[in-house]
Amino acid sequence: MTRKMPKGRGTTKCTIQGYEIICYNKLSSTNEKAKEIAKKCNREKIIVLAEMQTQGKGRMNRKWVSPEGGIWLSLILRPRIRPNENFKLTFIMSSAIAETINSMYKLNAKIKWPNDILVNNKKLCGILTEINTKGDTTFFIVIGVGINANIDLEDFPNALQQSLTSLKQILGFRVKRRLLIEGILNNFEHRYKRLKEGKWSELLQEWKNLAVFLGKHVEVISANESLAGVALDVDDTGALVIKLDDGAVRRIIEGDVGTGKQP
Ligand code: BTN
């Protein structure tokens, strides 16, 4: 990657923290391109980055609006873990992003389950992880990261402007995206190493220390139901444990807590 983001239709490549970064000016979705690349080679630590996405994907089949100025990237890894453990990589990526943003820009970014990064209660970043598995084997994982970096709120549809924020809007200046990516990868690498050393409980605790919703009364919207109660914990499997208003305790595997999402 050059100091500036690439212009024109071609691709440029560079290496940061041992990751090969392939930069595109425009892609439909960096996750889609990363999956295509991962299926054709056996390598890992490849990052696909685009200056803009025309069909950016969010969680739960939502669209992710990705204008110029953001950081839209997807990272290919081949961790030796069972498919049901892949969420751990998403968790350590969200901690790495929140911590890097906090230390670089002196902000108070927090994580909202499962992996939204919020600043001032508005969504700054989302993560979409996709995995390719067979039986008990993970072939590869693609961690898609979308950070609203140098974007003006007017560049988002009206309907999203209340719930989203960007670094430019918060800080009042354009951030150096390359430096931010370097910081995040550095932080992620440390955590990934600790994960491989078996330090998951420590990493989960660090994630919880950055979590904004624990102990609070929340609304959880999943694919087919809407629940309300107190968020008690996030367990070892990444599920949200909630005490419903009627007293029952439920584990929720997929959904959104409260508001602040791209539709
Ligand atoms: C969410 O919060 O719903 C997850 C959003 C993830 C967006 C990123 S942008 C880079 C990568 N490519 C995609 O199409 N989506 C992810």
Side-chain angles (χ1 to χ4, degrees):
M1 192 166 65
T2 49
R3 281 251 155 228
K4 292 199 171 138
M5 293 294 187
K7 293 281 174 226
R9 312 179 97 229
T11 63
T12 56
K13 287 188 187 179
C14 74
T15 303
I16 299 181
Q17 304 286 347
Y19 285 82
E20 181 191 337
I21 316 234
I22 312 173
C23 305
Y24 293 81
N25 189 41
K26 193 195 276 189
L27 282 176
S28 59
S29 155
T30 55
N31 267 32
E32 289 307 311
K33 181 55 107 183
K35 286 190 284 180
E36 199 183 299
I37 293 172
K39 280 178 191 158
K40 288 190 196 146
C41 73
N42 286 323
R43 292 170 41 228
E44 63 163 1
K45 293 201 169 182
I46 298 173
I47 291 181
V48 175
L49 183 146
E51 179 66 9
M52 66 175 96
Q53 300 183 115
T54 52
Q55 288 173 62
K57 302 191 309 173
R59 290 175 50 248
M60 296 164 64
N61 290 324
R62 289 189 293 248
K63 184 175 156 56
W64 182 261
V65 180
S66 322
E68 227 172 327
I71 294 175
W72 322 123
L73 63 82
S74 301
L75 192 151
I76 303 168
L77 290 176
R78 298 182 187 276
R80 293 201 185 136
I81 54 179
R82 284 191 297 278
N84 64 2
E85 287 183 290
N86 279 304
F87 79 92
K88 294 178 180 175
L89 288 147
T90 318
F91 272 45
I92 62 171
M93 179 56 90
S94 20
S95 305
I97 295 171
E99 201 179 86
T100 305
I101 283 172
N102 289 343
S103 70
M104 281 180 78
Y105 310 116
K106 308 287 169 266
L107 293 176
N108 189 23
K110 293 281 182 190
I111 301 170
K112 179 162 74 71
W113 181 87
N115 42 49
D116 290 350
I117 314 288
L118 310 184
V119 174
N120 302 332
N121 232 12
K122 297 194 173 192
K123 184 156 167 174
L124 177 71
C125 164
I127 302 177
L128 173 68
T129 298
E130 298 187 77
I131 55 174
N132 185 296
T133 61
K134 188 168 181 193
D136 245 6
T137 309
T138 300
F139 290 126
F140 65 79
I141 170 168
V142 166
I143 307 174
V145 173
I147 305 175
N148 303 330
N150 298 325
I151 304 179
D152 292 313
L153 279 198
E154 304 83 71
D155 293 337
F156 290 114
N158 285 342
L160 296 177
Q161 289 180 12
Q162 286 302 311
S163 56
L164 295 185
T165 191
S166 76
L167 285 172
K168 186 176 175 210
Q169 198 221 1
I170 300 162
L171 300 167
F173 59 84
R174 294 171 67 83
V175 299
K176 294 198 163 62
R177 288 177 294 172
R178 183 192 166 103
L179 286 185
L180 177 54
I181 294 169
E182 274 174 6
I184 290 169
L185 291 180
N186 188 20
N187 201 318
F188 177 78
E189 268 302 291
H190 280 115
R191 288 168 196 271
Y192 191 26
K193 184 165 168 277
R194 288 164 61 215
L195 182 67
K196 290 189 224 167
E197 290 166 356
K199 300 195 171 139
W200 168 239
S201 353
E202 237 177 79
L203 291 160
L204 179 59
Q205 189 50 54
E206 287 166 17
W207 183 94
K208 286 184 195 177
N209 293 344
L210 286 160
V212 72
F213 56 89
L214 288 175
K216 298 203 171 129
H217 191 273
V218 293
E219 256 181 60
V220 186
I221 299 142
S222 69
N224 46 21
E225 60 183 340
S226 176
L227 303 164
V230 176
L232 295 179
D233 195 11
V234 169
D235 72 16
D236 204 39
T237 69
L240 176 67
V241 184
I242 174 169
K243 184 167 186 184
L244 302 179
D245 291 342
D246 67 7
V249 174
R250 285 270 295 271
R251 281 179 70 248
I252 300 164
I253 293 162
E254 194 182 33
D256 272 309
V257 172
T259 56
K261 57 194 183 283
Q262 290 215 27

